[in-house]
Amino acid sequence: MPALSGTDVASYRTFRPRAARVVTLTLAVVVLTLAGLLIAFMPGLNTGDRVGFALVALMIAAFCWRQGTVRARVDDNGVTVRNLVYTRRLEWAEIVSVRFGSGRPWVQLDLSDGDTLAVMGIQRADGQYAQAEARRLATLVAQHTETPRDD
């Protein structure tokens, strides 16, 4: 396999949201910190209450961490989309189009089987950055799905 040029390396970087990562990971730290302070300094809590506070804080932090780590990784063979609940691997040929119209919170892939897949790694909350990332993903799809007779 030939070495990738600087442009190729840049176009293959992982798609990650900016605002959602900062907000959710910050929220996870705040929740864990506040729960720790409540457990340590709130008088009258019995052991069950302390365990309950800790479990709820850990569940909230786990949810925030998962939301903060959504992404889409691209390589020569396709895309691996990690969303909030699941991760799915797609070959380039399975992707028909990339949509990011108004009102959509994140990029949506139209797939060859008639299904759609949200790509939470590119989120409208990121504004112009998200628009540029959607164009970059659409360009990669177009490059990898070209045929000699592109009809």
Side-chain angles (χ1 to χ4, degrees), residues 6 16 21 32-33 46 48 56 60 63 66 72 74 78 81 92 99 105 108 112 114 143 149:
R16 288 188 172 93
R21 283 177 68 198
L32 290 173
T33 302
N46 62 35
V56 169
I60 292 170
F63 176 83
R66 183 64 185 201
V74 292
V81 177
W92 289 115
R99 290 191 287 156
Q108 185 172 337
S112 60
Q143 288 172 347
R149 248 186 79 201

Side-chain angles (χ1 to χ4, degrees), residues 43 55 116:
L55 289 176
T116 59

Side-chain angles (χ1 to χ4, degrees), residues 39-139:
I39 291 167
F41 298 111
M42 190 168 185
L45 287 182
N46 62 35
T47 303
D49 293 336
R50 292 175 196 277
V51 169
F53 271 117
L55 289 176
V56 169
L58 288 172
M59 287 189 297
I60 292 170
F63 176 83
C64 289
W65 172 80
R66 183 64 185 201
Q67 176 62 41
T69 60
V70 297
R71 65 179 176 260
R73 289 185 183 215
V74 292
D75 58 39
D76 285 334
N77 299 317
V79 182
T80 303
V81 177
R82 178 180 177 165
N83 284 336
L84 187 58
V85 177
Y86 58 87
T87 300
R88 183 167 176 194
R89 174 73 183 166
L90 298 168
E91 301 299 317
W92 289 115
E94 294 178 76
I95 304 170
V96 175
S97 67
V98 176
R99 290 191 287 156
F100 197 38
S102 64
R104 294 190 192 281
W106 40 71
V107 162
Q108 185 172 337
L109 301 178
D110 291 322
L111 306 179
S112 60
D113 64 2
D115 202 4
T116 59
L117 177 65
V119 179
M120 295 176 74
I122 304 172
Q123 299 185 3
R124 182 155 311 282
D126 288 331
Q128 293 301 318
Y129 172 77
Q131 294 290 335
E133 291 291 86
R135 281 190 299 275
R136 180 167 67 92
L137 180 57
T139 300

Side-chain angles (χ1 to χ4, degrees), residues 132-151:
E133 291 291 86
R135 281 190 299 275
R136 180 167 67 92
L137 180 57
T139 300
L140 286 168
V141 168
Q143 288 172 347
H144 288 281
T145 58
E146 284 179 345
T147 60
R149 248 186 79 201
D150 205 13
D151 40 299

Side-chain angles (χ1 to χ4, degrees), residues 2-29:
L4 295 174
S5 71
T7 305
D8 292 336
V9 170
S11 66
Y12 279 90
R13 46 176 217 281
T14 300
F15 295 92
R16 288 188 172 93
R18 287 182 173 174
R21 283 177 68 198
V22 170
V23 169
T24 57
L25 295 176
T26 300
L27 182 60
V29 170

